[in-house]
Amino acid sequence: MTQNLVYLNGEYVPADQAKISIFDGAISLGMTVTESTRTFGHQPYRLRDHIDRLYLSLKAARFDAGMTQDELEKLTLEVWEKNKPNYDAGTDAWIIHNITPGQWVPSSGQKPADSASTVMIITLPLDLSYWADFYQTGCHAVTPFTRIQPAQSLDARIKNRSRFIYTLAESEVKLVDPKAQSLLLDTDGYLSENKGGNFFLVSNNRIRTPSTINCLDGISRQSIFTLGEKLNIPVEECQLLPYDVTTADEAFFTSTPYCIMPATKFNGLEIGDGKVGPITKQLIAAWSDLVGVDIIEQAQASKAS
Ligand SMILES: Cc1ncc(COP(=O)(O)O)c(C=O)c1O
């Protein structure tokens, strides 16, 4: 077993010793741009797509990583190579990028001239046990009182670490059902996303998802468009309302760790016949084929271990 190392501002540091300043913009501004990539069979999956999205988020957030996309990609692969020996064959990894504007002194409200961005690259074992049962039963999607912030305030395409809204939303829906998953609406009442996933509906063999006006342009979301094309199932972006979930045949969330999480209940009502639907199953199977890992089996093994 080697030490789990974190890349922090040009150095490799043991994870339990990696520290940032109390004056870092992550804390004084609540500003961190982030990415979470996963591996399949220890191979980073769509890493370059995650890095490209990170650079779009950084541009919109108006700070940078102090290096090019190629350099960050190379560095990320180096971090993973160093930590990979700690992972057994069945366990995949999260690869996390957190970038902050660096030192930002609250008393002056200024960034010191010599302060560079803070760059962290972290790997963690991907524990899929939480999602294991949802592949069979589907989850219960519940709309919380808390709404997603409008793009006029903070564009949801900037993938950032502020989880205040999402965390409030999750705690509200957990009062309705301890296993519920939030499905946030925007301030006009249209469906958006949840704390870490995009949302899809299937009606009459057609897949629909909210447009990125009010949600992150998820890399897994993009995979549904690709898989839909491959399987000859149309996928459309549009504005969707709670009515559309209530009357849908199937529904699911997508996110990097679990890929597809079926939803079989919405605000207490069954979606379709209340079972994981055939198109959802077809998509999970196609994704498993694509990455050479049985997504459901891996989550179940994670739960059993
Ligand atoms: C708010 C939000 N929406 C959607 C997603 C799904 O994005 P991806 O498929 O790139 O993991 C995430 C991922 O963390 C997220 O934080």
Side-chain angles (χ1 to χ4, degrees), residues 214-235:
N214 66 10
C215 63
L216 183 72
D217 188 6
I219 305 292
S220 321
R221 178 182 182 278
Q222 293 167 11
S223 295
I224 297 297
F225 283 87
T226 314
L227 289 174
E229 204 174 329
K230 214 165 142 189
L231 299 171
N232 235 340
I233 308 167
V235 188

Side-chain angles (χ1 to χ4, degrees), residues 89-225:
T91 306
D92 271 301
W94 287 105
I95 302 175
I96 297 167
H97 295 94
N98 286 331
I99 321 276
T100 87
Q103 297 282 301
W104 205 292
V105 181
S107 54
S108 64
Q110 297 297 319
K111 181 181 168 82
D114 59 349
S115 166
S117 296
T118 301
V119 178
M120 305 168 228
I121 309 173
I122 302 160
T123 73
L124 288 172
L126 188 56
D127 178 0
L128 296 162
S129 55
Y130 178 75
W131 297 288
D133 292 342
F134 292 139
Y135 293 106
Q136 313 294 349
T137 61
C139 71
H140 182 190
V142 172
T143 47
F145 175 78
T146 296
R147 302 289 173 108
I148 201 112
Q149 76 281 13
Q152 292 87 341
S153 304
L154 179 61
D155 197 302
R157 286 172 294 188
I158 303 176
K159 188 163 163 58
N160 69 88
R161 276 266 165 233
S162 173
R163 300 282 132 168
F164 212 135
I165 290 172
Y166 302 116
T167 308
L168 281 179
E170 277 293 301
S171 41
E172 284 165 22
V173 304
K174 296 288 190 280
L175 295 174
V176 176
D177 171 349
K179 288 195 176 164
Q181 304 297 309
S182 59
L183 171 55
L184 283 86
L185 305 178
D186 67 19
T187 48
D188 293 319
Y190 293 107
L191 306 183
S192 62
E193 59 183 345
N194 89 346
K195 69 174 165 104
N198 291 107
F199 187 70
F200 290 82
L201 291 176
V202 184
S203 312
N204 302 320
N205 300 319
R206 191 165 56 111
I207 302 175
R208 287 178 297 162
T209 191
S211 85
T212 54
I213 293 288
N214 66 10
C215 63
L216 183 72
D217 188 6
I219 305 292
S220 321
R221 178 182 182 278
Q222 293 167 11
S223 295
I224 297 297
F225 283 87

